[in-house]
PDB file of all heavy atoms in Angstrom:
ATOM      1  N   TYR A 163       7.093   6.749   3.516  1.00  0.00           N
ATOM      2  CA  TYR A 163       8.522   6.860   3.195  1.00  0.00           C
ATOM      3  C   TYR A 163       9.319   5.741   3.846  1.00  0.00           C
ATOM      4  O   TYR A 163      10.044   5.019   3.186  1.00  0.00           O
ATOM      5  CB  TYR A 163       9.053   8.231   3.634  1.00  0.00           C
ATOM      6  CG  TYR A 163      10.523   8.402   3.416  1.00  0.00           C
ATOM      7  CD1 TYR A 163      11.008   8.584   2.131  1.00  0.00           C
ATOM      8  CD2 TYR A 163      11.422   8.337   4.464  1.00  0.00           C
ATOM      9  CE1 TYR A 163      12.374   8.729   1.901  1.00  0.00           C
ATOM     10  CE2 TYR A 163      12.785   8.491   4.251  1.00  0.00           C
ATOM     11  CZ  TYR A 163      13.261   8.673   2.978  1.00  0.00           C
ATOM     12  OH  TYR A 163      14.609   8.804   2.755  1.00  0.00           O
ATOM     13  N   ASN A 164       9.159   5.580   5.151  1.00  0.00           N
ATOM     14  CA  ASN A 164       9.855   4.507   5.847  1.00  0.00           C
ATOM     15  C   ASN A 164       9.200   4.248   7.187  1.00  0.00           C
ATOM     16  O   ASN A 164       8.210   4.894   7.560  1.00  0.00           O
ATOM     17  CB  ASN A 164      11.354   4.841   6.031  1.00  0.00           C
ATOM     18  CG  ASN A 164      11.578   6.039   6.941  1.00  0.00           C
ATOM     19  OD1 ASN A 164      10.663   6.627   7.457  1.00  0.00           O
ATOM     20  ND2 ASN A 164      12.830   6.428   7.084  1.00  0.00           N
ATOM     21  N   PHE A 165       9.740   3.290   7.920  1.00  0.00           N
ATOM     22  CA  PHE A 165       9.284   2.973   9.267  1.00  0.00           C
ATOM     23  C   PHE A 165      10.507   2.657  10.112  1.00  0.00           C
ATOM     24  O   PHE A 165      11.192   1.671   9.858  1.00  0.00           O
ATOM     25  CB  PHE A 165       8.321   1.782   9.245  1.00  0.00           C
ATOM     26  CG  PHE A 165       7.630   1.545  10.551  1.00  0.00           C
ATOM     27  CD1 PHE A 165       6.505   2.291  10.888  1.00  0.00           C
ATOM     28  CD2 PHE A 165       8.098   0.590  11.437  1.00  0.00           C
ATOM     29  CE1 PHE A 165       5.861   2.086  12.100  1.00  0.00           C
ATOM     30  CE2 PHE A 165       7.463   0.377  12.649  1.00  0.00           C
ATOM     31  CZ  PHE A 165       6.340   1.135  12.963  1.00  0.00           C
ATOM     32  N   VAL A 166      10.827   3.505  11.071  1.00  0.00           N
ATOM     33  CA  VAL A 166      12.034   3.351  11.879  1.00  0.00           C
ATOM     34  C   VAL A 166      11.686   3.537  13.334  1.00  0.00           C
ATOM     35  O   VAL A 166      11.048   4.544  13.721  1.00  0.00           O
ATOM     36  CB  VAL A 166      13.119   4.393  11.464  1.00  0.00           C
ATOM     37  CG1 VAL A 166      14.337   4.286  12.359  1.00  0.00           C
ATOM     38  CG2 VAL A 166      13.498   4.236  10.002  1.00  0.00           C
ATOM     39  N   ALA A 167      12.086   2.589  14.164  1.00  0.00           N
ATOM     40  CA  ALA A 167      11.940   2.686  15.610  1.00  0.00           C
ATOM     41  C   ALA A 167      10.512   3.071  16.019  1.00  0.00           C
ATOM     42  O   ALA A 167      10.287   3.998  16.764  1.00  0.00           O
ATOM     43  CB  ALA A 167      12.946   3.674  16.190  1.00  0.00           C
ATOM     44  N   SER A 168       9.552   2.346  15.517  1.00  0.00           N
ATOM     45  CA  SER A 168       8.145   2.535  15.834  1.00  0.00           C
ATOM     46  C   SER A 168       7.555   3.859  15.322  1.00  0.00           C
ATOM     47  O   SER A 168       6.509   4.290  15.806  1.00  0.00           O
ATOM     48  CB  SER A 168       7.898   2.435  17.347  1.00  0.00           C
ATOM     49  OG  SER A 168       8.306   1.169  17.801  1.00  0.00           O
ATOM     50  N   THR A 169       8.245   4.515  14.413  1.00  0.00           N
ATOM     51  CA  THR A 169       7.741   5.751  13.862  1.00  0.00           C
ATOM     52  C   THR A 169       7.579   5.633  12.356  1.00  0.00           C
ATOM     53  O   THR A 169       8.520   5.286  11.651  1.00  0.00           O
ATOM     54  CB  THR A 169       8.683   6.933  14.178  1.00  0.00           C
ATOM     55  OG1 THR A 169       8.808   7.042  15.582  1.00  0.00           O
ATOM     56  CG2 THR A 169       8.157   8.237  13.607  1.00  0.00           C
ATOM     57  N   ALA A 170       6.390   5.886  11.872  1.00  0.00           N
ATOM     58  CA  ALA A 170       6.158   5.884  10.429  1.00  0.00           C
ATOM     59  C   ALA A 170       6.625   7.203   9.826  1.00  0.00           C
ATOM     60  O   ALA A 170       6.452   8.251  10.408  1.00  0.00           O
ATOM     61  CB  ALA A 170       4.650   5.718  10.149  1.00  0.00           C
ATOM     62  N   GLY A 171       7.267   7.110   8.673  1.00  0.00           N
ATOM     63  CA  GLY A 171       7.691   8.292   7.960  1.00  0.00           C
ATOM     64  C   GLY A 171       6.889   8.443   6.700  1.00  0.00           C
ATOM     65  O   GLY A 171       6.548   7.468   6.033  1.00  0.00           O
ATOM     66  N   VAL A 172       6.540   9.661   6.363  1.00  0.00           N
ATOM     67  CA  VAL A 172       5.794   9.951   5.138  1.00  0.00           C
ATOM     68  C   VAL A 172       6.453  11.114   4.403  1.00  0.00           C
ATOM     69  O   VAL A 172       7.254  11.851   4.963  1.00  0.00           O
ATOM     70  CB  VAL A 172       4.297  10.302   5.431  1.00  0.00           C
ATOM     71  CG1 VAL A 172       3.566   9.154   6.031  1.00  0.00           C
ATOM     72  CG2 VAL A 172       4.184  11.543   6.277  1.00  0.00           C
ATOM     73  N   PHE A 173       6.100  11.245   3.137  1.00  0.00           N
ATOM     74  CA  PHE A 173       6.527  12.407   2.378  1.00  0.00           C
ATOM     75  C   PHE A 173       5.653  13.596   2.779  1.00  0.00           C
ATOM     76  O   PHE A 173       4.472  13.434   3.076  1.00  0.00           O
ATOM     77  CB  PHE A 173       6.376  12.158   0.886  1.00  0.00           C
ATOM     78  CG  PHE A 173       7.383  11.202   0.342  1.00  0.00           C
ATOM     79  CD1 PHE A 173       7.071   9.877   0.154  1.00  0.00           C
ATOM     80  CD2 PHE A 173       8.654  11.649  -0.003  1.00  0.00           C
ATOM     81  CE1 PHE A 173       8.007   8.978  -0.348  1.00  0.00           C
ATOM     82  CE2 PHE A 173       9.592  10.775  -0.519  1.00  0.00           C
ATOM     83  CZ  PHE A 173       9.278   9.435  -0.682  1.00  0.00           C
ATOM     84  N   TYR A 174       6.241  14.754   2.819  1.00  0.00           N
ATOM     85  CA  TYR A 174       5.471  15.980   3.075  1.00  0.00           C
ATOM     86  C   TYR A 174       6.021  17.109   2.252  1.00  0.00           C
ATOM     87  O   TYR A 174       7.125  17.035   1.687  1.00  0.00           O
ATOM     88  CB  TYR A 174       5.457  16.329   4.566  1.00  0.00           C
ATOM     89  CG  TYR A 174       6.675  17.026   5.104  1.00  0.00           C
ATOM     90  CD1 TYR A 174       6.668  18.406   5.350  1.00  0.00           C
ATOM     91  CD2 TYR A 174       7.833  16.322   5.425  1.00  0.00           C
ATOM     92  CE1 TYR A 174       7.772  19.046   5.865  1.00  0.00           C
ATOM     93  CE2 TYR A 174       8.944  16.955   5.940  1.00  0.00           C
ATOM     94  CZ  TYR A 174       8.917  18.317   6.160  1.00  0.00           C
ATOM     95  OH  TYR A 174      10.022  18.963   6.651  1.00  0.00           O
TER      96      TYR A 174
END
Side-chain angles (χ1 to χ4, degrees):
Y163 177 74
N164 64 2
F165 189 82
V166 176
S168 301
T169 301
V172 296
F173 288 98
Y174 80 103

